[in-house]
Amino acid sequence: AQKVTQAQTEISVVEKEDVTLDCVYETRDTTYYLFWYKQPPSGELVFLIRRNSFDEQNEISGRYSWNFQKSTSSFNFTITASQVVDSAVYFCALSEANRDDKIIFGKGTRLHILP
Amino acid sequence: DSGVTQTPKHLITATGQRVTLRCSPRSGDLSVYWYQQSLDQGLQFLIQYYNGEERAKGNILERFSAQQFPDLHSELNLSSLELGDSALYFCASSVGDLRGTDTQYFGPGTRLTVL
């Protein structure tokens, strides 16, 4: 079954701390795509990253980094030196190529960065 | 500003009615995606169109339909509305489809309230 689990419902950290948001997925397919999205308090959605199942290289974009591990079916997201502007709900999502690219979202992790 | 426009911003209607939500993608983007976000269901992928053709289908109800027109704008039609259809409906666009490397850009959303 296709499933995305974000076990951390809510996280609070003090500004400048590093924080990792966990994402565990379930899939039977060998070809799939993983995504992270950000939804700040203003409500808009922001696409952060897409990773396909054949690319296990970690990705770094400024203070953001992603750790994809097929062995543990995880695609975790780390924010280094967090800032108040990072406060948002973060969603992890999965799309399976053999399921017509249907996207399944996790329930999201609400991240509070405290000044 | 993402370049993706959605109209209307807010819509209040009654059960049983039919509404149309409109999305204009960024210039040059061929793909349009529709998402629904509600407190009960969370974030859900509804449907994707690429250059006028349906490309991926998610949890879209039979009462809902969508299409992408030759000028690439898209409309999401919701009929026989129920209270549970109250949600924020997002549209996104990208140059290619989900299997590519393009960024998805989201519109500000249409908030639908069914009374």
Side-chain angles (χ1 to χ4, degrees):
Chain A
Q2 189 187 21
K3 188 177 176 182
V4 176
T5 300
Q6 294 180 257
Q8 303 151 308
T9 306
E10 203 158 343
I11 301 175
S12 293
V13 300
V14 176
E15 197 174 19
K16 297 183 184 175
E17 287 185 354
D18 299 347
V19 57
T20 295
L21 308 184
D22 297 333
C23 174
V24 174
Y25 62 92
E26 292 179 27
T27 178
R28 294 177 185 168
D29 283 1
T30 56
T31 303
Y32 53 90
Y33 305 85
L34 296 163
F35 306 81
W36 276 95
Y37 297 87
K38 174 183 180 180
Q39 187 171 38
S42 53
E44 77 269 24
L45 278 168
V46 179
F47 169 91
L48 295 178
I49 191 172
R50 172 198 295 105
R51 174 65 80 225
N52 75 56
S53 54
F54 299 109
D55 184 1
E56 283 193 77
Q57 283 190 9
N58 290 335
E59 175 94 8
I60 297 175
S61 177
R63 295 183 297 106
Y64 293 175
S65 62
W66 290 269
N67 183 357
F68 176 27
Q69 291 199 338
K70 288 174 81 168
S71 59
T72 55
S73 297
S74 65
F75 186 43
N76 296 338
F77 172 34
T78 297
I79 302 175
T80 303
S82 60
Q83 299 176 2
V84 172
V85 293
D86 296 325
S87 297
V89 180
Y90 291 87
F91 295 95
C92 180
L94 165 69
S95 171
E96 293 174 326
N98 290 336
R99 285 187 181 266
D100 300 324
D101 291 332
K102 176 180 173 179
I103 305 170
I104 297 294
F105 286 88
K107 294 189 182 302
T109 296
R110 184 175 298 276
L111 177 62
H112 301 278
I113 307 298
L114 308 173
Chain B
D1 184 358
S2 67
V4 179
T5 60
Q6 289 188 248
T7 57
K9 285 189 177 182
H10 302 277
L11 195 49
I12 301 174
T13 187
T15 54
Q17 295 298 304
R18 173 189 170 93
V19 297
T20 297
L21 312 183
R22 182 189 170 102
C23 170
S24 292
R26 291 190 332 143
S27 177
D29 285 0
L30 299 178
S31 274
V32 170
Y33 312 78
W34 286 98
Y35 300 84
Q36 178 197 58
Q37 187 176 31
S38 66
L39 289 175
D40 288 345
Q41 302 291 329
L43 192 52
Q44 292 196 96
F45 166 71
L46 295 179
I47 198 163
Q48 178 209 352
Y49 282 84
Y50 177 79
N51 203 21
E53 294 191 0
E54 184 183 303
R55 179 61 67 93
K57 201 167 186 176
N59 297 326
I60 188 165
L61 300 173
E62 285 191 10
R63 300 184 285 109
F64 296 180
S65 65
Q67 59 183 133
Q68 186 178 28
F69 294 86
D71 67 352
L72 300 178
H73 91 271
S74 178
E75 293 181 356
L76 179 66
N77 299 296
L78 315 176
S79 61
S80 303
L81 285 168
E82 302 175 359
L83 296 177
D85 297 327
S86 294
L88 194 50
Y89 292 84
F90 288 103
C91 166
S93 74
S94 64
V95 174
D97 64 18
L98 286 175
R99 302 186 185 196
T101 58
D102 316 299
T103 297
Q104 274 183 307
Y105 295 89
F106 283 84
T110 292
R111 182 167 294 283
L112 173 66
T113 302
V114 182
L115 302 175

